[in-house]
Amino acid sequence: MDALYTAVATATHGREGRAVTNDGKIDLALAMPVELGGNGQGTNPEQLFAAGYAACFGSALGLVGRAAKADVSDAAVTAEVGIGKQGEGFGLKVTLRVELPDTLDEATGRKLVEQAHQVCPYSNATRGNIEVDLVIE
């Protein structure tokens, strides 16, 4: 694959440090969530992954919607990223909640969401690696 764009970010001190992109557009404090024993005074990798996946999936939905001549411009995608013990280490699971416009019939909406799941780079990266549930609302 030839990359069309490459994002670059550096994190220091793991989950209790900072994450900064090379262009300075992101510069934020990282902190463990309270649920994992941290102080919750910063963002965490799961939140960043959720935001990226939701945005990427929304773009993929727009792409397949345009190809099908279906207006999904008012769709909203919420990504829920869970972390938990998995064997000796930790694993992730994702639920993508896709709110489609009322003007879209259920069958068309489901087909577009499933097509978006085949197109989205995050979906392609996670397929076979972590559980991803699609929920249409």
Side-chain angles (χ1 to χ4, degrees), residues 34-115:
V34 173
E35 297 83 352
L36 296 179
N39 65 17
Q41 297 298 309
T43 194
N44 59 68
E46 292 72 36
Q47 290 172 319
L48 296 170
F49 187 75
Y53 202 161
C56 189
F57 197 89
S59 289
L61 183 61
L63 178 73
V64 299
R66 284 187 299 281
K69 302 211 181 330
D71 184 7
V72 293
S73 59
D74 289 335
V77 179
T78 300
E80 300 170 2
V81 176
I83 184 172
K85 290 291 284 176
Q86 181 176 316
E88 297 289 321
F90 291 86
L92 299 174
K93 70 175 184 174
V94 174
T95 299
L96 293 176
R97 297 188 183 281
V98 183
E99 186 178 338
L100 295 171
D102 292 337
T103 56
L104 209 57
D105 67 85
E106 186 176 333
T108 301
R110 172 146 303 278
K111 181 179 178 185
L112 292 175
V113 167
E114 289 171 359
Q115 287 175 336

Side-chain angles (χ1 to χ4, degrees), residues 7-28:
V8 179
T10 302
T12 55
H13 305 289
R15 290 176 170 270
E16 298 293 335
R18 292 199 78 68
V20 181
T21 55
N22 66 323
D23 62 6
K25 291 181 181 177
I26 295 176
D27 183 351
L28 47 84

